[in-house]
Every structure is written in structure tokens, then in C-alpha cells.
Amino acid sequence: MERLCGPELPFWVANQTLHTDRPDLPECFQLSVLSWLPCIYLWAVCPVYLLYLKRNNRGYIMMSIMNRFKTVFGLLLWIVCWTDLFYTFHELRQGHSQPPIYFVTPLVLGMTMLLATFLIQFERLRGVQSSGVLFIFWFLSVLCAIVPFRSKILQASSQSEVTDKLRFTTFYFYFGLVVCELILCCFNEKPPLFSNVVTDPNPCPETTAGFLSTITFWWFTRLAIKGYKMPLEVKDLWSLNQRDSSKMMVPKLLKEWEKEQSKDKSEHTLSSQAVYSKPPPSTTNHIGGGGGGESSPEEVEVLLSSQKAAPRQPSFLRALIKAFGPYFLIGSAYKLLQDVITFVNPQLLRMLISFTKQKGVPDWWGYALAFLMFFTAFLQTLILHQHFQYCFVTGMNVRTALIGAIYRKALVITNSAKRSSTVGEVVNLMSVDAQRFMDLTTFLNMLWSAPLQIMLALYFLWQNLGPSVMAGVAVMILLIPFNAVIAMKTRAYQVEQMQYKDSRIKLMNEILNGIKVLKLYAWENSFKEKVLAIRQKELNVLRKTAYLGALSTMAWTSAPFLVALTTFAVYVTVDENNILDAEKAFVSLSLFNILRFPLNMLPQVISSIVQASVSLKRIQGFLSHDELDPNSVDRKNTASEYSVTVVNGKFTWGKEDPPVLHNINVMAPQGSLLAVVGHVGCGKSSLISALLGEMEKLEGEVSIRGSVAYVPQQAWIQNATLRDNILFGKPYNEQKYRCVLEACALTPDLQVLPGGDMTEIGEKGINLSGGQRQRVSLARALYSDADVYLLDDPLSAVDAHVSKHIFDNLIGPEGALKGKTRILVTHGISFLPQVDNIVVMVDGRVSEMGSYQELLRQNGAFAEFLRNYALEDIIEEDEATEELIQDEELFPDDALSNHTDMVDNEPVFNEAKRNFIRQISIISADGENPRSRSVRRHGCSQRKHAEPQEKKKPQEVEKLIQAETTETGRVKTKVYLEYAKAVGPLLSVLICCLYGCQSAAAIGANIWLSQWTNDASRNQTKENVHMRVGVYAALGIAQGVLLLINCLLCRAYSMLRAAKLTHHNMLQGVLRAPQAFFESTPTGRLLNRFSKDVDAIDSHIPENIDIWMRTFWYTLNVLLICSALTPMFLIVIAPLMVFYWWVQVNRKRVC
């Protein structure tokens, strides 16, 4: 530095800097280090930052007044810096030679200011509203300029006049401009043009928050204040960030998972390829081979590869890492920085203790050390919470993506896969297993951070205590195999527990789905016993896990103390000259306290990793199931004149199952009505499923031209209004909607429903009859305006007169679907004369196909079908006619006019059919003489009420499914008391006392250690060594024993007792609830209570109570001891306690 600054400007002067009451840095140090530090930072990060901006274009920001000021200030800074440079050249020409530092520093500063100005404009063009890079640069510039600012004032005050007036003036111009740039950097630019933020009515302020607002979470303040004023509701929350939405997260994960699967398939294909080899040419001239050897054929032999690689499963973990790893690594970088800063405080503590021992040192040393300790703690807090923010967001994104991927997979897995993956397993995968990953990501960085902190702590302990620290290392090494065995056993128990949980949720799903039958037969108690039996097995596994967890917690919690005990004991006994004074003891103790957190967290992280590994295997297994082939049905066939074509089709429900449909050949022309008939179990519904692509296609070709609408046998109804069920996301068209209602015979039903078409329909259509559900399903299909309609016996659930109305007005030749291709599965023979073609199914094969007349003349399977069903149809119609004659006077005229006699209105009732039915009637074996003329029912046979329908008054529509209520604000005391009651009042008090005794033992060990260090000042170190070590060990052992008893009593007994009682009461309450409760409560809500919430009671609540109790008692003991030893401590702690209490109360209001 002497070459740069010259001999007159020394780089460092200790007496001027440290050993004085008015410290100041030399001018050379100010011109070099302080001036270059911000410049080095900006030039170092600039290439990476420019690359980032080039790849991430958020839009274009119009130049604002603030941006103009930033640019002008940047250019002025460049001018100011180079003014100093040109002034130095001017001095050189005048014969006043200056050191090179006066040339280099202005040049570097000027170029850096130009770079900063360029970045200001480039960021605007790339849509950056607030720059963290430039904020740090301006902050460092101001921070480094504060020392010269003070130094120049001190020099000016000590001299009569300023010697270098130009540089003095330019510096203060420079300082003022840099401060202005820093202030302007604290504010945001306007959002980029055409960005989502502009169009979103309630955007999340995090997306537009500035750098300073982001690192301090100031953008959240507005919501916190609103929550303080009133309880927050869902409508008060901001819109979800686009990058965190399931729309972005789920495809991101599925893309990486598909890459893994395709990579696995390609490797599997390469490993199973055939190897071609040709034998070497013969070495003899004999035609048939020579030397008596075996003849070798000339043709090429095909040999299968003998080197079969082990089957490699696609790694779902690798897909997760690729999808979410880069974002998570940002949080890991923050964690690494925080870990390094953590070890600064012990070194500052060492310096502070040394400062108190020294005499005649300047007072500002102590103030500076205290300020540095506060600043490092503050900086550590900022960085740590940024790390947690990235971890929490990553966990939320992983959970969102997992739930979306599992839900998507559940819709496309094959039927054989559905047998192995039950409903209970799928529910647990989406609720419990996905939550495991979210919980793990919070502390996943501890997997590498804990060993790093342990190694750094041991390194500094080695510097402090020497080789004695190896005794502590030996203790930690001994704990590793102990905890490894516990982790392996815990993983096995976790797998077993999840199997019981799947079985329990599966049974609960079956109970909730069939709750009406269960209540009608009074089977509540028997099914309750079945659930409780599975629950007891689950609790037994949880108890075993709790035993292992108690041992692991005791081992890792006692580890810091055991390390300290062995280290101190070895240190004072190995050499008589080793004295444990205050500096060594308390610096070591601060390092041991740092060591305490990673050692305490390791068992929790290991437990979470074990649980997540089990969940990972379960999720990977589920996502690896075979999917239905989307290309099994060709939907792009435009060349054929047929809308639906099946050629030589062979289908099965599972690849390992025998085929269900054989040699299927079906062709349906555009706009035709094709009926599929046959006996029960002959494969009619399977044919519809094959056309939908829900069956495994073994042979043949299937093609459907255009869009498809499907009406199943059992209608699928959403929990929504009747109108929403029909529209199904389509835009509302009044005229079209009314025509659909009329065609599906729903208009009379609207007069019965309390809210008309705005009546809320319960889950699975629980407040509709079977016929109404089927008509809503038909109406939905009709409103969708598809090209092909697959109707799986939709008329079986409706009455005869409604059936006729629907056929005439919807399905039939003159119905609303005329011109559309319709495939109708039916058992009703009365409509068959009006269809275009009939397919007769027998034992999974197409027996006959043709028109009604053709099939009747063939006298084959179709005739047999008519022979079986015709008499039943006639008898049912006669009974309906008699019932109608009895009830006809009970119906109003307008109701009867809607559905007149089918025989009277039917334009052409096929005479051949009449004759055929008459012949069947004569030769029937029962000897009865049924009437040859069948009359259709006019009304619904279930309609027994005698009073005529009156026009109902409009009623206020009540919401059937009640919204789930959530408590706001703080948790009520009653909840805590209920949980304590479930645990047991005496047990709760005993557990609290044990936590207090454990914390008191830990504090007592620290107090005893402080007394031990006082022996050095009284020269009593040799006499009291064994007593000091013995009492210190006794206190530590007492702490470990109390912790073990507490964990066993708390987790293995009392908490599981509370979990068992809570689940039992909830199960009993649900099973004893009236039927109306199940009509107004969705099944998914109840399943969540029994899956995710029960898991929280089993696992999360005990862990949180343990953490809270330990923190509470430790804090209380520290406050009491500090207040007793230093009463002045109360002056500071009292207002701080009030402040933190206020923050906690407001946080509960917001949450």
C-alpha cells in the first residue's frame, strides 16, 4: 500500500486508531479499503445479476420521476468522482505531485457510478421495481463514507482552515448524493406494463415489495394492523402469488416426474435390447466343417443380452429436488450465512470479558463490542427469518404439488391399481403424507447445518480448551450408533402405523358413505368397535414409537451437557496448570449453548426424515401405478362416416384379468340412435366403459369422432345448486336452459323444490330422489351440447310416464338430441321399435346387430331377450294402469295433460311387435291371460298424497351444506382445559412440575459452573476439583433422568391417553349424530377430522407442548436468576415483557 499511498500517508496507525479516546482511521485506509469495498461488491455481483435480469424479463416500466432522479444522481456522482480525478491531473500539471491513490480511487468510483446508473435503467427495462443489489451497494457506500465524513469534520475543527477545499467540497457532495440514492432505493417503482399485478384486484404486496420491505417483512404490516382491529376472514386475504398457485406448482412437479419415468423406460428398453452376433468364418476348406468339430450355421444368431441390469425405479425424490431444489437452495444459502454469523458472538464475548479485565483501555471498546454483539444478533435474526420464509414457501409448494399430483393420478389409474390403492390410502396420501413433507422442509437444512455447527463449535472449543475437547467428541460419536438403531426401528413402526391409519380411514369412508343404511339397521356400535379395534393397534404402535422417541430425546438433549462435563472434567484433571477461569468457562459455555440447538434438533430432523421417507415410498408407489391409456380411443378420426367405431375389440378390466369383452364390432353412423340390449351381466356397461377408455384394450381399434357426453347408471351430483349441476361450468343461456329442463321433465320438480333451480343439492344428491338425480344427469349431458352421447340405462331410475316423456322429448327420433349420435343401454323394450339399430350382447360378445324388424325376423338372441322381458313389462304396465285409475282423480288436470297415454299418442306402434307379444302371452307357461293391450302409467307410482298441489309461496332458500366454521383469535382457555382433562388433571400438574425441575437442574448446573470458575480467583482450584465435577455431573444426570421420565410419562402415556379419548369421543359424536348432520356436512370434511386432525393430536401437539414447556421454564428460570443477581436487569426486562406480550396478543388476533 506504500506504493499507492506514498510514505506520507500510512495505511495503519495503531495509536491513532485503537489506543486513543478519539479514534480515527488513516487517510490511506479511507481512500483504499473504505472506498473500494462497495465497488468490489458491485463489480463482483454484476455479471451474475445481469445474467439473471436477462433470463427474467418481467415487463417494461415507464420512466417515472423517481427513476429520473436516480439516473441524474448517478450521473452527478460520476461527475463528482471524476472531478477529483481531473483535479489531480491539474495538480500534477501545476507541479504538485499526488500519490497514485488519488488517481486510482476517483477512477474506480467514477466507473462504478456509471455501472450503477446503467443498472438503474436496465432494471427498469426488465421490470424490476426494487433492486436489492443496488440497495446493498448504496448502503455499503453510505456506511463506508461515514468514517471519512467524521474524519474530515474533526480535521477541519482542529485546523484553522481547510487545506484541500475542492476535495472537501466534492466529498460532501458525494456523501449527500449517495444518501439520496439510498433513500430513493427504499421506494418502489410502478408495476411493469401488462403485468398480472395491474389486473389483479387484490394483489399480494409481497410481489411488489421493495428489498427493505422484503427483508423486514414490512409488507405484512397492513394485514397485521387490520387483524388487530377486527378478526380476519378469508376475503381479507390477498390473492395467492402466481408462482405459488397449484396451476404452476403441479405441472412443474409432474413434468420432472414424467422425465424420471421416461428415463427409466428408456434405460429399461436399452437393457432389454437383443444383441446380434455372427459366428467367425471357418478356418478349414471342408464344406461341411472340418476337424470333426461341430458345424456352425452361417445365418446370424440372435442372442438375448445376458447382462441384465437391475431394474431401476424412477426416483420421485429426484423429481422433487429438480422441481423445488433451486428455490430451496436460496434458503439454504441464508442458513449457511446465519450459521457463520452465529459463531461471531462467542468471539465478541471473549473480547468483552478480556476488556473487563484490562486496565486503562478506552471506554469506546466496550461500547463498540456491545454494539457489535447487538448488530450481529439483529443481522442473524433477519437472515434466519429469510431462511424460514424460503423453507415455509417451499414446504407449501411441495404440499400443493403433491396433493395435485395425487389427485390427478387418482383420476387416471387403471382399475387393477384401484384395487390395491384404497380410498383410505388416497385420503391419507393427500392429507397426512403430503403434510409430512411440508413439516420436513422447515428444518431440512439442519441435516447439513447441524454437523457444520457442531464442527465449528468443536473447532473453537479446541482453540479454547485444547485437546480436552476430544472427550466431548467421543461422547457424540458414541451417540451416533445408538440413534441410528432408534431411527431404523422408528421407520419400521412408522410404516406399520400408516398401514393401520389407511385401514381406519378406509373403514371410516365406508361408514360415512353408507351411514343411512347403518343407522336404519342400528349398526353404529358394531362398526364403532371395528374402528376402535384398528385405532387401538395404531395407538400401540405409537406407544412403541414414543418409547424410542423418549430415549432419542434424552440422548440428544443430554449430549451438550455430557460433552461439556467430559470436556471440563478432562481439562481440569489432565494437567494441574489448567485452570477453569471465567473467560474459558463462559466462552466455552456459549459454544456449548450453540451446540445445544443442533443436537436438540437432530432427533426431530431424523424423526421427520424417517416419517417423510415412509411417505415418499408410499407416494412414489402410488404415482408409479399404471394409468389408463389416453390413446386407446382415437378421437381424431375424421375420415370415417361413422361417429363411433369398434373393430375387433377385446377389452379387460385389468391386464392380469381375463377379457370381459371379445370380438366387439360396432359401428354407429353420424346422428343415429343405437340401442344396446342384453341380459344382466352380459357386458353392456362394460361396452360403454370401453368406449370411454376406462378399460384395458387388448386388441382392436376404437374411435369416436367429436366430444362425448356420458350419463352413468348412478348419477354423479355435485354439492352445488341445481342450476350449477346442470350448467357444469358452461355459460348460462336462458332459452337453452329452459328447453333442457322441459326435455328432461325437470320443470314440475322446480315447483316442488324450495328454491327452484337455485336450491342447493347436498353431497351425492342426498336431497333428491333417484329419478331426479338421473334427470339432472341427463340435463347436464344435454346442456353440454356434445357430439356423441353415451347413455348407460338412464331410464331405469325414472317412472314409466317420465321415461316416455324423456324418450320422446330427448333421446328419441324427434327428441332434442336428434342429429346427435346416441348409444343407449336399456332394458325397456317399448322404445326399441323407434331406434335405428340394436346391438344384442351375450356373454361379452356382440350376438346380433341390426334394426328392430331384422332382429325380430331372425328369432335369435334378440327374440329371447324380448321373451324374457316382455311379460314383465306388460304386467308392470297393467299394475300401473290399475293404480293410475284409482289415483287419477287425485291429480290435477294440468299434471295429467303433461304425460298423456303413450298408446294414444304413439304415431306408429309396430304391428309386428303387437303380434309377437300376443303370441308370447298365449304360450306363457304361467297360465295367466294377460291383456294384449298395455297402457302406460300416467303418474308416479310413489305419489300417494291425496291433496292437490297448490302453488307454493316462495320460500327463503336456506343453505344446505353449512360452511366450515373456524375459530379466530386466541385459543380459548376451555380448549386447554379440555385437553388437560383428557390427559388427566393430576398428570398435567405433575408433568408441569417435572418440566420445572428439569429446567431448574439445567440452570443449577450453569450456576454451579459459575461458582466453579470463581475458584480460580481464590486459588482453590486444586482442592475442590472432585467436588465441583461430582456435583456438576449429578445435576446433569438428574436433568437427563427427569427428561426421560417426563418424555415417557408425557408422550407414551398421558398424550396417547388424550389422543385415544379425543378420537373415541369424536367417533361417538359422529356416529350418534342425526341423519340431517350428514346431509349438511361433506364427507371430506369428516374424513379430514379423522385423518389429518387426529394425526395432529397424535404427533404434533405432544411435540409442540414439549417445546413450549421447555422454553417457558427455561426462560422463567433465567429471568428469576438474572433478576436476583442483577436487579437492574428488571428495568430493561419489564418493558420488554410488556412489549412481547402485546405482540403475542396481536399475533393471535391476526392468526
Side-chain angles (χ1 to χ4, degrees):
M1 295 301 293
E2 188 175 348
R3 292 183 179 180
L4 281 173
C5 299
E8 297 180 359
L9 299 176
F11 180 74
W12 186 259
V13 181
N15 291 331
Q16 179 186 347
T17 306
L18 296 176
H19 306 293
T20 178
D21 291 332
R22 295 183 66 185
D24 196 9
L25 291 172
E27 188 174 356
C28 179
F29 189 91
Q30 296 178 20
L31 289 173
S32 57
V33 175
L34 294 183
S35 298
W36 296 351
L37 185 62
C39 303
I40 292 171
Y41 157 76
L42 189 62
W43 285 100
V45 301
C46 186
V48 179
Y49 188 52
L50 287 176
L51 182 63
Y52 168 78
L53 291 177
K54 187 176 180 181
R55 292 186 176 181
N56 295 273
N57 188 2
R58 302 177 186 175
Y60 174 85
I61 298 177
M62 296 290 291
M63 183 173 283
S64 60
I65 298 176
M66 185 171 67
N67 190 270
R68 290 190 177 97
F69 273 112
K70 287 182 183 179
T71 307
V72 170
F73 288 160
L75 293 174
L76 287 176
L77 281 167
W78 167 64
I79 293 171
V80 167
C81 293
W82 278 20
T83 300
D84 284 351
L85 177 63
F86 291 129
Y87 181 67
T88 307
F89 280 112
H90 174 71
E91 286 182 326
L92 185 62
R93 293 184 63 185
Q94 295 295 327
H96 301 290
S97 178
Q98 294 287 358
I101 194 71
Y102 285 96
F103 293 93
V104 175
T105 297
L107 178 65
V108 172
L109 281 175
M111 293 175 64
T112 306
M113 295 307 162
L114 281 178
L115 176 63
T117 307
F118 165 75
L119 284 178
I120 290 171
Q121 288 304 313
F122 191 63
E123 285 175 342
R124 180 182 65 82
L125 296 175
R126 309 302 286 185
V128 178
Q129 295 179 255
S130 178
S131 173
V133 171
L134 286 180
F135 179 87
I136 296 174
F137 169 70
W138 297 123
F139 178 75
L140 287 175
S141 300
V142 171
L143 197 65
C144 293
I146 289 175
V147 175
F149 183 88
R150 174 180 175 273
S151 180
K152 290 183 182 298
I153 291 177
L154 290 176
Q155 290 178 8
S157 61
S158 62
Q159 298 173 0
S160 57
E161 62 176 348
V162 178
T163 55
D164 196 348
K165 294 181 179 179
L166 180 66
R167 289 193 178 91
F168 185 87
T169 306
T170 54
F171 172 78
Y172 283 103
F173 268 114
Y174 167 84
F175 185 81
L177 290 171
V178 169
V179 170
C180 290
E181 287 279 19
L182 178 62
I183 294 172
L184 290 176
C185 252
C186 296
F187 299 97
N188 283 9
E189 294 283 353
K190 294 178 180 179
L193 297 178
F194 311 112
S195 66
N196 293 330
V197 180
V198 178
T199 57
D200 196 337
N202 188 25
C204 178
E206 183 190 7
T207 55
T208 58
F211 175 75
L212 194 61
S213 176
T214 300
I215 62 173
T216 59
F217 297 99
W218 187 257
W219 54 270
F220 185 75
T221 307
R222 188 178 64 184
L223 189 65
I225 294 173
K226 190 172 186 179
Y228 171 71
K229 295 178 179 178
M230 64 179 69
L232 293 179
E233 300 177 2
V234 177
K235 63 181 181 181
D236 298 323
L237 299 179
W238 302 303
S239 300
L240 189 65
N241 289 334
Q242 185 69 17
R243 67 171 187 268
D244 299 327
S245 63
S246 57
K247 181 181 178 182
M248 301 292 291
M249 290 297 109
V250 179
K252 188 177 181 180
L253 177 61
L254 289 177
K255 180 181 177 182
E256 297 298 335
W257 175 236
E258 287 169 3
K259 287 181 182 178
E260 283 294 315
Q261 289 181 309
S262 60
K263 188 188 301 182
D264 173 63
K265 289 178 183 177
S266 61
E267 290 180 4
H268 181 71
T269 305
L270 288 173
S271 65
S272 61
Q273 279 181 348
V275 176
Y276 297 90
S277 65
K278 190 173 182 177
S282 175
T283 57
T284 65
N285 294 326
H286 297 283
I287 297 174
E294 295 180 0
S295 61
S296 299
E298 292 293 325
E299 65 271 9
V300 176
E301 295 181 357
V302 181
L303 304 175
L304 290 177
S305 173
S306 60
Q307 299 178 350
K308 290 188 177 180
R312 173 187 172 274
Q313 295 293 330
S315 174
F316 188 65
L317 178 61
R318 193 178 292 114
L320 282 173
I321 293 172
K322 288 181 180 178
F324 305 105
Y327 187 81
F328 184 74
L329 282 177
I330 301 175
S332 303
Y334 278 113
K335 179 62 178 171
L336 178 62
L337 191 59
Q338 187 261 340
D339 287 346
V340 173
I341 296 175
T342 301
F343 290 92
V344 175
N345 261 336
Q347 308 310 314
L348 293 174
L349 179 63
R350 180 201 303 273
M351 297 170 67
L352 190 61
I353 294 174
S354 299
F355 166 75
T356 58
K357 293 180 179 179
Q358 297 178 23
K359 306 294 183 183
V361 294
D363 292 339
W364 66 267
W365 282 23
Y367 293 116
L369 288 171
F371 173 76
L372 285 175
M373 291 181 74
F374 166 76
F375 180 74
T376 51
F378 175 74
L379 188 62
Q380 184 181 346
T381 302
L382 284 181
I383 294 172
L384 180 64
H385 284 85
Q386 286 299 317
H387 156 253
F388 279 132
Q389 169 72 0
Y390 277 92
C391 289
F392 287 143
V393 171
T394 304
M396 179 186 68
N397 291 342
V398 169
R399 181 173 178 269
T400 301
L402 286 176
I403 292 174
I406 294 166
Y407 183 76
R408 177 245 168 217
K409 187 74 177 183
L411 298 176
V412 296
I413 58 174
T414 60
N415 293 281
S416 57
K418 289 178 182 177
R419 299 172 191 169
S420 58
S421 297
T422 62
V423 175
E425 180 184 349
V426 175
V427 171
N428 275 331
L429 286 175
M430 287 195 282
S431 59
V432 179
D433 293 286
Q435 185 67 33
R436 293 265 194 264
F437 283 89
M438 184 173 177
D439 297 336
L440 175 63
T441 51
T442 308
F443 297 106
L444 183 60
N445 281 314
M446 290 302 298
L447 198 61
W448 60 264
S449 174
L452 175 65
Q453 292 184 56
I454 291 170
M455 287 189 291
L456 287 174
L458 292 176
Y459 170 75
F460 288 114
L461 282 169
W462 180 284
Q463 287 188 333
N464 200 34
L465 299 174
S468 304
V469 77
M470 295 306 296
V473 175
V475 172
M476 287 190 290
I477 291 174
L478 289 174
L479 288 174
I480 291 174
F482 175 72
N483 282 279
V485 173
I486 289 178
M488 290 173 62
K489 293 293 293 180
T490 304
R491 189 180 190 281
Y493 288 145
Q494 182 69 22
V495 173
E496 188 179 356
Q497 181 205 346
M498 293 306 297
Q499 290 173 349
Y500 289 133
K501 194 185 292 286
D502 289 346
S503 302
R504 179 168 58 82
I505 298 302
K506 177 188 175 185
L507 183 57
M508 282 304 305
N509 181 65
E510 292 173 356
I511 289 173
L512 294 174
N513 284 334
I515 191 66
K516 183 179 287 186
V517 176
L518 188 141
K519 284 188 170 294
L520 288 173
Y521 284 93
W523 287 341
E524 292 96 334
N525 288 331
S526 59
F527 275 90
K528 184 178 76 171
E529 295 302 322
K530 287 178 176 289
V531 175
L532 292 179
I534 300 174
R535 174 65 174 166
Q536 186 58 48
K537 295 177 182 178
E538 186 181 352
L539 290 174
N540 292 337
V541 177
L542 281 171
R543 183 169 286 108
K544 296 176 186 177
T545 308
Y547 292 148
L548 296 177
L551 290 173
S552 179
T553 302
M554 184 202 69
W556 285 112
T557 305
S558 303
F561 171 79
L562 292 174
V563 171
L565 173 65
T566 53
T567 303
F568 287 150
V570 170
Y571 179 75
V572 297
T573 56
V574 76
D575 190 353
E576 294 181 355
N577 296 323
N578 289 342
I579 299 174
L580 192 66
D581 56 5
E583 180 180 340
K584 290 185 182 297
F586 287 107
V587 172
S588 300
L589 203 60
S590 66
L591 290 169
F592 285 133
N593 286 333
I594 292 174
L595 204 60
R596 184 182 299 275
F597 179 74
L599 290 177
N600 284 343
M601 286 304 302
L602 267 179
Q604 297 183 36
V605 173
I606 291 171
S607 175
S608 297
I609 289 174
V610 167
Q611 293 177 356
S613 65
V614 174
S615 298
L616 176 69
K617 187 177 179 181
R618 285 161 51 85
I619 292 174
Q620 179 172 319
F622 180 75
L623 294 180
S624 299
H625 282 320
D626 292 335
E627 297 183 6
L628 295 169
D629 184 9
N631 299 319
S632 62
V633 179
D634 182 13
R635 303 187 184 278
K636 299 179 180 179
N637 184 15
T638 57
S640 175
E641 62 179 353
Y642 296 100
S643 289
V644 179
T645 306
V646 183
V647 180
N648 297 326
K650 190 176 184 181
F651 303 94
T652 180
W653 286 110
K655 291 182 179 179
E656 66 281 358
D657 298 336
V660 177
L661 300 177
H662 308 264
N663 195 25
I664 302 298
N665 290 278
V666 175
M667 294 185 181
Q670 169 66 34
S672 64
L673 172 58
L674 175 68
V676 181
V677 299
H679 299 287
V680 175
C682 65
K684 302 186 296 297
S685 296
S686 297
L687 177 62
I688 298 296
S689 298
L691 294 176
L692 290 170
E694 293 183 357
M695 295 185 70
E696 299 279 351
K697 184 178 70 173
L698 301 178
E699 295 177 6
E701 296 179 0
V702 181
S703 66
I704 296 181
R705 188 169 63 191
S707 57
V708 178
Y710 170 56
V711 180
Q713 282 184 352
Q714 295 181 347
W716 181 75
I717 304 297
Q718 283 184 305
N719 173 217
T721 63
L722 182 69
R723 177 183 294 182
D724 290 337
N725 268 283
I726 295 174
L727 299 182
F728 206 60
K730 297 281 186 181
Y732 178 70
N733 185 319
E734 175 71 23
Q735 183 179 359
K736 179 181 177 182
Y737 179 72
R738 293 301 169 190
C739 292
V740 168
L741 293 179
E742 182 61 32
C744 297
L746 280 171
T747 306
D749 295 285
L750 297 185
Q751 301 173 3
V752 178
L753 295 173
D757 64 346
M758 299 308 292
T759 302
E760 184 182 8
I761 308 303
E763 196 175 38
K764 299 178 182 178
I766 198 166
N767 54 337
L768 295 179
S769 67
Q772 288 173 328
R773 287 198 292 268
Q774 195 62 266
R775 282 178 280 148
V776 170
S777 182
L778 281 166
R780 179 194 301 150
L782 176 58
Y783 196 88
S784 67
D785 196 22
D787 299 316
V788 177
Y789 286 80
L790 304 179
L791 311 173
D792 191 0
D793 206 3
L795 305 178
S796 60
V798 298
D799 297 319
H801 70 288
V802 180
S803 168
K804 176 192 179 302
H805 176 93
I806 292 174
F807 188 86
D808 290 343
N809 293 276
L810 178 63
I811 304 172
E814 302 300 324
L817 292 179
K818 65 178 180 180
K820 305 282 187 179
T821 305
R822 294 142 290 162
I823 297 180
L824 172 67
V825 174
T826 183
H827 284 102
I829 63 173
S830 56
F831 305 118
L832 296 181
Q834 302 180 58
V835 304
D836 298 321
N837 284 295
I838 301 172
V839 172
V840 184
M841 299 289 296
V842 177
D843 296 332
R845 301 175 185 271
V846 176
S847 174
E848 295 176 297
M849 182 174 178
S851 65
Y852 181 83
Q853 298 291 343
E854 294 171 355
L855 296 179
L856 205 59
R857 284 194 295 269
Q858 291 178 11
N859 196 22
F862 180 67
E864 179 67 24
F865 172 78
L866 291 179
R867 197 172 291 115
N868 290 335
Y869 284 93
L871 290 176
E872 297 177 8
D873 193 42
I874 294 169
I875 293 169
E876 288 178 1
E877 289 170 358
D878 289 343
E879 292 174 354
T881 305
E882 293 173 2
E883 182 181 338
L884 179 63
I885 294 171
Q886 295 173 4
D887 295 346
E888 187 172 8
E889 59 186 12
L890 302 179
F891 291 94
D893 295 338
D894 55 348
L896 291 174
S897 63
N898 289 335
H899 306 292
T900 53
D901 192 5
M902 177 181 173
V903 177
D904 296 337
N905 271 355
E906 215 166 70
V908 178
F909 192 82
N910 195 283
E911 188 64 28
K913 180 187 173 186
R914 293 173 184 247
N915 297 332
F916 183 78
I917 293 176
R918 190 176 295 111
Q919 294 171 8
I920 293 174
S921 304
I922 295 171
I923 64 174
S924 59
D926 55 8
E928 295 180 3
N929 185 22
R931 302 166 189 166
S932 60
R933 177 73 179 242
S934 65
V935 182
R936 298 283 176 191
R937 284 186 289 179
H938 290 70
C940 175
S941 61
Q942 298 174 355
R943 204 169 172 181
K944 296 290 184 183
H945 55 275
E947 66 274 5
Q949 287 187 345
E950 297 178 359
K951 196 169 184 178
K952 293 194 172 185
K953 297 179 181 178
Q955 300 178 358
E956 185 179 350
V957 181
E958 295 183 0
K959 191 168 178 59
L960 179 66
I961 302 297
Q962 300 299 323
E964 188 173 8
T965 57
T966 54
E967 295 289 339
T968 57
R970 59 179 299 176
V971 180
K972 296 177 181 177
T973 309
K974 181 182 177 183
V975 178
Y976 293 116
L977 292 177
E978 286 292 331
Y979 190 78
K981 183 180 177 182
V983 171
L986 292 177
L987 271 177
S988 301
V989 174
L990 179 60
I991 289 170
C992 291
C993 293
L994 285 175
Y995 272 111
C997 294
Q998 172 198 336
S999 182
I1003 298 295
N1006 290 337
I1007 295 174
W1008 186 259
L1009 184 62
S1010 67
Q1011 295 296 324
W1012 187 356
T1013 60
N1014 292 335
D1015 291 346
S1017 60
R1018 297 192 294 265
N1019 295 324
Q1020 297 177 349
T1021 54
K1022 297 180 182 179
E1023 293 82 358
N1024 300 328
V1025 167
H1026 296 292
M1027 187 264 291
R1028 294 295 188 188
V1029 172
V1031 174
Y1032 190 64
L1035 288 170
I1037 293 170
Q1039 179 188 354
V1041 171
L1042 286 170
L1043 178 64
L1044 178 62
I1045 295 172
N1046 217 350
C1047 285
L1048 290 174
L1049 190 62
C1050 182
R1051 296 191 182 186
Y1053 179 71
S1054 57
M1055 300 294 180
L1056 286 184
R1057 181 173 177 267
K1060 179 180 180 180
L1061 188 61
T1062 305
H1063 175 270
H1064 181 273
N1065 292 340
M1066 182 168 63
L1067 178 63
Q1068 189 170 5
V1070 168
L1071 291 178
R1072 295 180 66 181
Q1075 183 63 31
F1077 169 78
F1078 299 97
E1079 294 178 2
S1080 60
T1081 307
T1083 305
R1085 188 184 300 173
L1086 294 174
L1087 284 179
N1088 263 338
R1089 298 293 85 80
F1090 283 95
S1091 58
K1092 186 177 178 181
D1093 291 352
V1094 168
D1095 181 68
I1097 296 172
D1098 292 344
S1099 305
H1100 300 300
I1101 289 181
E1103 291 178 2
N1104 293 334
I1105 288 176
D1106 177 60
I1107 294 171
W1108 185 87
M1109 291 294 287
R1110 279 202 260 174
T1111 306
F1112 170 77
W1113 282 107
Y1114 186 81
T1115 306
L1116 181 63
N1117 288 333
V1118 168
L1119 290 177
L1120 290 175
I1121 292 170
C1122 290
S1123 302
L1125 297 177
T1126 312
M1128 293 289 291
F1129 178 72
L1130 291 172
I1131 298 176
V1132 179
I1133 201 62
L1136 276 177
M1137 290 178 67
V1138 173
F1139 172 73
Y1140 283 124
W1141 173 81
W1142 178 79
V1143 170
Q1144 184 71 7
V1145 169
N1146 292 338
R1147 188 191 71 83
K1148 288 179 179 178
R1149 285 188 181 183
V1150 174
C1151 294

